[in-house]
Amino acid sequence: MGKAVSFITRNFGKYDPASLAGYESIGGFTALRKALTMDGYDIARVLADNGVQGRGGAAYDMGKKWSQARDVKGEHKCVVCNADEGEPGTFKDRELLRNDPFQLLEGMIIAGWSVGADNGYLYMREEYSHLRPLLLSAIEQCEQAGYLGENILGSGLNYRIHLYSGAGAYVCGEGSALSESVEGKSGRPRMKPPFIKQCGVFHLPTCVNNVESLSLVAPLLLDDEGYYKSQGTEDCPGTKMISVCGNVKRPGVFEVPFGITIREIIYDLAGGLEDGHELRLVQLGGASGRICSPAQLDTPYTYKGMRQADLTAIGSGAVLVVDERTSVIGFLRMTQEFFSHESCGQCTPCREGNRHIALLLDKVAAGTHTQKDIDTLKKFADIMSSASLCGLGETAQSALLSCMKRFPEVFAVKEEVAVR
Amino acid sequence: MKPFSQAADTLDQELAGKIDGILAAHGGDATQLVGILLDVEAAVERHYIPEAAAYYVAQKLGVKPTQVYDVISFYTALHDKPRAKFVLEVCNSAPCRVKDSDALLAALKRLLNLEVGEVTYDGRFSIEKVPCFGACDVSPAVRVNGVVYGHLDCEERILDMLQQLN
């Protein structure tokens, strides 16, 4: 466990997550008090100075996002906390919600102050419904203590947080689909523009952040010694929550400094592979993530390092380790099954692409494919990536495309079939 | 053979009362429709939204029944047909599959003599394949009425889990 750190997870186990008094006793809400004396842009600058990139997957510069959200003119604005952690293999937000709900709420209130919003929406996936009572009670306790409501701590900020539930739709992690869902409708992504930052929930300017991004705000504002920046690497400072699962001895959630290698994550933190098995591949960033081959294990876990190695730049922070018992094509079919199920069916490239790629993968698995099938596979995957309406279709074939590069032998055409 | 009663499709006083409570808990807010329907589903023994309940919710919230059905049919976690008292949701995503959740699924099918999507004659059990529910650290896992049972990698543990469902 040598490489694990504790910054965003510093409160885990230190207080009873059901008790606001417990959170206050370990210094809770001092970050909010500090934030309320600061200008919104200055808060955004703290995030920018620390080089924080959004933790939801798109890795957008968070300080920039907040100052842009503040720039947007509007009488009413919203903050959305995206807790629709739907990427298979990702469960880090679950730990943040369960172990430190108040740090998240504090981050959401600071976000409201910084961008000038009057409502915050916490959109949590149905699969975490067991955490609903905890969060509802946390919100209520904050209201009673005056951290939420009218004129918060005498600052003039009026801000409320509402808990909304998803219902098992992966696509609702996409900002505009999430907005539709919060409005009580089916979660189909909208055409863009207008973008969420101008026209999101209830057609109001909306600033959407991931649970981890928002949980990071309070500790960062209090980090006067620059601990966060001292972690990680020079071009990618800080720490990151990752969730490791699959064929490893100790699956779980870890907070790591950026710059750790994938090898260290698998062999040091997660205890290595299950006995007697060999590594086949690693999928990073959830089902929409690219595939890392065993030869790439020494890639540093930073946005730039991963991008240079042609891997998903961090994404959701999922690390799925797969051993030799699952074949590459078998794994791709599992991933494909997921996307075939989760495509919302609204746009043609994603709806039809997923269907036909699934059929072609069956053919590859059976070994009856021709070169033409492989070309079609690649063509459809490329069309989906460039022409889909939202991020789901754009990234659904990341695993396939990266496997075609890294494991070309899997797609090699058997000669007798090619002749036919 | 008529395996079980479909009587729940009428809105009785009891369910109407429960729905009123659910609506009140959500502040009668029509934008909370998804959460409201989830709670209604949890309140019905066979974990679905009877037609009469759907219309009742629509009327009380002042939204069109078509919007309620748009939502029910869109979201995987909402259902308009009766399911079972205990729906065994088996994770079908890669993190559980690489931990051999296929064997778990096969064991459940054999032990309950059921296929995916079928319901036992007494309406108690059914098996469904669902996408990742975020319990990858304890995979292979099953989720039953919101509760996750993990590490189901041998028959003993699977039987143990089934016996806890009562």
Side-chain angles (χ1 to χ4, degrees):
Chain A
M1 302 287 282
K3 276 258 178 179
V5 289
S6 174
F7 182 72
I8 192 169
T9 56
R10 68 203 165 125
N11 296 336
F12 280 25
K14 299 252 175 71
Y15 77 98
D16 173 10
S19 153
L20 172 62
Y23 183 61
E24 285 173 317
S25 74
I26 57 161
F29 286 104
T30 41
L32 175 64
R33 285 174 212 279
K34 184 175 174 187
L36 292 175
T37 65
M38 293 165 74
D39 178 69
Y41 287 113
D42 292 336
I43 297 172
R45 203 162 303 124
V46 171
L47 300 174
D49 288 346
N50 280 289
V52 182
Q53 290 176 280
R55 304 297 203 237
Y60 195 74
D61 189 323
M62 198 171 157
K64 201 164 142 192
K65 183 185 263 187
W66 281 26
S67 57
Q68 284 173 344
R70 190 168 176 83
D71 286 339
V72 178
K73 302 261 181 300
E75 200 185 328
H76 300 286
K77 296 185 199 172
C78 331
V79 167
V80 167
C81 171
N82 185 343
D84 194 50
E85 186 177 51
E87 279 294 351
T90 314
F91 43 99
K92 51 152 186 105
D93 292 346
R94 186 192 73 193
E95 294 304 299
L96 286 167
L97 291 161
R98 183 165 74 183
N99 290 299
D100 202 352
F102 287 103
Q103 180 171 272
L104 170 64
L105 294 181
E106 188 174 3
M108 282 184 77
I109 302 167
I110 296 171
W113 170 252
S114 173
V115 310
D118 45 10
N119 280 297
Y121 299 94
L122 175 50
Y123 185 84
M124 190 168 70
R125 66 188 308 216
E126 180 271 334
E127 288 81 350
Y128 295 166
S129 55
H130 56 284
L131 299 174
R132 258 185 89 84
L134 179 74
L135 288 162
L136 282 173
S137 134
I139 292 170
E140 201 187 318
Q141 290 178 60
C142 287
E143 280 170 358
Q144 280 166 3
Y147 295 122
L148 284 172
E150 306 290 309
N151 192 16
I152 294 169
L153 302 178
S155 65
L157 170 67
N158 302 327
Y159 187 72
R160 291 191 182 280
I161 292 181
H162 316 269
L163 182 61
Y164 276 74
S165 192
Y170 170 77
V171 73
C172 286
E174 197 270 346
S176 65
L178 191 157
S179 301
E180 290 282 307
S181 186
V182 169
E183 293 173 15
K185 297 186 266 186
S186 54
R188 289 193 184 85
R190 296 175 184 160
M191 290 287 276
K192 288 169 278 283
F195 294 101
I196 304 299
K197 58 183 169 196
Q198 288 117 14
C199 180
V201 178
F202 304 117
H203 298 275
L204 297 171
T206 303
C207 180
V208 185
N209 291 277
N210 179 257
V211 172
E212 187 185 344
S213 312
L214 286 165
S215 295
L216 201 52
V217 174
L220 266 183
L221 280 184
L222 297 175
D223 185 26
D224 296 326
E225 293 99 53
Y227 175 82
Y228 180 83
K229 240 186 154 175
S230 73
Q231 297 294 309
T233 64
E234 205 154 297
D235 62 349
C236 189
T239 69
K240 172 83 188 89
M241 297 280 284
I242 56 168
S243 43
V244 189
C245 64
N247 304 119
V248 287
K249 280 188 195 146
R250 282 198 305 270
V253 174
F254 306 95
E255 185 176 3
V256 298
F258 281 115
I260 189 173
T261 64
I262 301 169
R263 186 184 302 279
E264 286 171 318
I265 292 173
I266 298 174
Y267 290 93
D268 294 348
L269 294 177
L273 270 76
E274 288 159 351
D275 286 332
H277 294 288
E278 273 171 49
L279 183 66
R280 170 86 70 189
L281 54 88
V282 186
Q283 186 175 38
L284 298 152
S288 66
R290 295 187 191 155
I291 305 293
C292 161
S293 75
Q296 293 175 299
L297 286 188
D298 292 311
T299 308
Y301 198 68
T302 63
Y303 292 98
K304 203 172 147 200
M306 300 282 277
R307 228 171 266 136
Q308 277 171 351
D310 190 30
L311 294 168
T312 299
I314 310 295
S316 72
V319 179
L320 170 57
V321 182
V322 181
D323 69 20
E324 89 292 345
R325 284 172 287 183
T326 309
S327 68
V328 172
I329 196 72
F331 181 80
L332 285 176
R333 287 170 87 195
M334 293 171 191
T335 310
Q336 185 51 48
E337 216 174 302
F338 175 75
F339 283 109
S340 297
H341 180 265
E342 292 299 338
S343 171
C344 80
Q346 188 178 201
C347 73
T348 314
C350 180
R351 182 186 63 238
E352 300 302 322
N354 276 316
R355 177 185 300 250
H356 287 279
I357 284 172
L359 293 173
L360 288 168
L361 285 177
D362 290 347
K363 245 176 144 176
V364 178
T368 56
H369 57 290
T370 62
Q371 188 54 45
K372 201 175 162 220
D373 290 328
I374 300 300
D375 296 342
T376 311
L377 203 53
K378 172 101 183 19
K379 186 169 83 183
F380 284 0
D382 285 336
I383 292 172
M384 281 180 68
S385 312
S386 52
S388 294
L389 182 62
C390 80
L392 191 157
E394 284 167 7
T395 56
Q397 299 309 330
S398 306
L400 172 65
L401 288 169
S402 54
C403 276
M404 288 178 104
K405 275 187 220 159
R406 268 150 223 161
F407 304 99
E409 66 281 4
V410 173
F411 301 91
V413 177
K414 292 199 179 77
E415 268 181 40
E416 62 269 34
V417 181
V419 177
R420 219 182 286 152
Chain B
M1 186 177 81
K2 199 170 175 227
F4 41 74
S5 147
Q6 299 275 354
D9 220 36
T10 54
L11 186 70
D12 54 32
Q13 208 63 46
E14 194 195 339
L15 183 57
K18 278 184 191 165
I19 294 177
D20 288 340
I22 290 165
L23 292 170
H26 285 89
D29 182 355
T31 67
Q32 289 274 9
L33 182 58
V34 178
I36 289 168
L37 291 174
L38 281 171
D39 286 353
V40 172
E41 191 165 299
V44 175
E45 196 192 16
R46 301 271 310 270
H47 297 283
Y48 77 113
I49 298 155
E51 193 176 320
Y55 275 81
Y56 186 69
V57 168
Q59 185 208 335
K60 285 274 171 175
L61 289 177
V63 300
K64 293 195 175 76
T66 47
Q67 187 185 338
V68 175
Y69 273 97
D70 177 36
V71 167
I72 295 176
S73 57
F74 181 83
Y75 293 96
T76 317
L78 297 171
H79 307 80
D80 62 351
K81 304 253 167 11
R83 294 153 85 212
K85 189 174 176 193
F86 300 108
V87 182
L88 305 164
E89 297 176 340
V90 183
C91 174
N92 190 37
S93 291
C96 271
R97 291 280 290 279
V98 302
K99 296 280 279 182
D100 210 7
S101 68
D102 289 356
L104 163 63
L105 183 63
L108 286 176
K109 282 180 83 161
R110 180 168 46 79
L111 290 167
L112 295 167
N113 193 19
L114 268 186
E115 285 301 316
V116 174
E118 286 180 353
V119 184
T120 48
Y121 72 96
D122 55 0
R124 280 172 60 77
F125 295 101
S126 72
I127 305 175
E128 288 180 9
K129 290 205 271 189
V130 298
C132 183
F133 44 78
C136 323
D137 46 348
V138 295
S139 62
V142 162
R143 187 167 176 258
V144 189
N145 299 343
V147 182
V148 170
Y149 299 85
H151 298 301
L152 300 176
D153 46 12
C154 62
E155 189 154 328
E156 199 186 335
R157 289 197 180 135
I158 297 172
L159 279 171
D160 226 35
M161 179 270 296
L162 288 175
Q163 267 149 15
Q164 284 176 50
L165 303 176
N166 253 310

